[in-house]
């Protein structure tokens, strides 16, 4: 780690501090809340050790740093290289959606530390890699004019992207008479992208509504062509029966997938939809731990699973989700929309998971994104792909000056001390009861 030193530096700085992994101990856990992406704050977690090595992880966008900090007392004094044991110790304190972000960020930081301690990249700790570069796709959000959307996507293609995603759904039908039936319920704009609420809303699409959405896709396809995968997101809320009619009508555009068209909590409904159309159905970004995916796989409710490494339970858990999906003939794309630290966690997982398809990136329009880390070649996202880094751990280190400029306004400082989280009154024996041990 330290290859050279001047005469004036103490002897310790000349020692490879990662040379005693068996005696490595966690001494601190701190957070810097990065808040500059279109999707809100995403806490970066730093775990420090008694040998001067630190590991970094990141929680999903929109999550609270508290989800990681509340686990600090359960990690102090532990050997960070026991990644799986520590993960099993803390995973009971995560949950679906953003509640999984603390456990996930910590798991990523532990793997970063273990990789640094043993001098190997994280993908190697997972069993090695299936690919040298990771295919990325960037989300391209709401646009009412299909030609304009087509041109925006074409720009992505010219930048090297080989996989596209756009928004398509009832939002595009707002204000067009005779397209959407919403009996007795006004859909408030803030709920319109929330798939969770819709089984109780019975929103139906008319033939005119379905035809209008088909024309939109037709308009986009006329610009981007038929040779590139094109996924769509943010369709609902739409009732199951109308989802089936819409999916069948869209079959002729051979979309890559329909994402979160029904809530993931209803695998039987998704299974009925999947059996009724020929367009792949996709979900998964809000599910925590592999157990949450099992029914979706077993029922063949989806063709593509789409976990977020930063909330699903971390890098190893997401590889397990991918491997389990593969047993059922299901591919895995990865949801992601934060800094290069989170991106690299996803990249290592994608490299080590055989049925991986594509990684989501929201950073194309964020000018300082590359500057947030060092350790890898720039641009990080190069021609629609990210090279799998070969450095120890995640292969990147945060750049303090850049991340400091984009901290959440209520952040007390860049990795400020967190002594208030050193002690947590719940006895550990009760934690074990929570795990059924
Ligand atoms: Mg999505």
């Amino acid at each position: 780690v330290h290859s050279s030193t001047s005469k004036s530096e103490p002897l310790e700085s000349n020692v490879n501090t990662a040379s005693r992994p068996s005696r490595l101990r966690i001494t601190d856990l701190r957070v810097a809340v990065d808040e500059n992406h279109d999707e809100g704050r995403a806490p970066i977690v730093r775990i420090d050790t008694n040998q001067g090595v630190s590991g970094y992880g990141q929680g999903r966008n929109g999550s609270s740093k508290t989800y990681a900090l509340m686990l600090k007392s359960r990690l102090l004094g532990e050997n960070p290289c026991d990644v799986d044991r520590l993960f099993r110790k803390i995973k009971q304190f995560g949950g679906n959606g953003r509640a999984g972000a603390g456990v996930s960020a910590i798991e990523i930081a532990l793997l970063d530390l273990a990789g640094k301690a043993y001098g190997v990249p994280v993908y190697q700790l997972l069993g090695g890699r299936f690919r040298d570069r990771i295919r990325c796709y960037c989300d391209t959000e709401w646009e009412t004019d299909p030609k304009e959307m087509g041109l925006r996507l074409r720009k992505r293609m010219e930048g090297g992207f080989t996989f596209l995603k756009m928004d398509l759904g009832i939002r595009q039908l707002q204000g067009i008479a005779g397209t959407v039936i919403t009996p007795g319920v006004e859909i408030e704009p803030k709920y319109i992208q929330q798939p969770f609420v819709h089984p109780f809303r019975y929103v139906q699409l008319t033939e005119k509504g379905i035809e209008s959405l088909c024309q939109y896709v037709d308009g986009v396809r006329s610009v981007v062509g038929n040779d590139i995968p094109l996924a769509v997101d943010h369709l609902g809320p739409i009732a199951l029966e109308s989802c089936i009619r819409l999916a069948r009508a869209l079959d002729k555009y051979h979309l890559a997938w329909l994402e979160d068209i029904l809530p993931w909590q209803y695998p039987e409904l998704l299974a009925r939809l999947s059996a009724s159309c020929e367009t792949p159905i996709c979900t998964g970004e809000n599910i925590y731990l592999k157990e949450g995916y099992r029914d979706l796989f077993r029922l063949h409710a989806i063709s593509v699973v789409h976990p977020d490494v930063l909330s699903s339970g971390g890098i190893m858990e997401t590889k397990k989700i991918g491997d389990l999906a593969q047993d059922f003939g299901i591919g895995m794309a990865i949801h992601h929309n934060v800094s290069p630290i989170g991106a690299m966690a996803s990249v290592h997982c994608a490299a080590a998971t055989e049925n991986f398809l594509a990684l989501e990136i929201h950073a194309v329009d964020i000018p300082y994104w590359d500057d947030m880390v060092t350790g890898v070649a720039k641009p990080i996202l190069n021609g629609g792909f990210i090279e799998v880094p070969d450095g120890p751990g995640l292969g990147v280190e945060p750049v303090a000056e850049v991340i400091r400029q984009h901290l959440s306004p209520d952040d007390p400082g860049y990795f400020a001390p967190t002594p208030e989280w050193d002690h947590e009154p719940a006895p550990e024996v009760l934690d074990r009861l929570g795990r059924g041990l």
Side-chain angles (χ1 to χ4, degrees), residues 265-296:
Q265 292 92 336
Y266 298 91
E268 289 85 358
L269 301 192
L270 281 158
R272 191 176 153 208
L273 171 62
S274 276
S276 305
C277 67
E278 286 152 22
T279 301
I281 303 300
C282 167
T283 192
E285 67 182 64
N286 288 308
I287 307 176
Y288 177 61
L289 303 181
K290 62 183 186 313
E291 292 80 0
Y293 295 84
R294 214 152 35 192
D295 282 350
L296 292 166

Side-chain angles (χ1 to χ4, degrees), residues 58 199 293 330:
Q58 190 164 24
Y293 295 84
I330 294 166

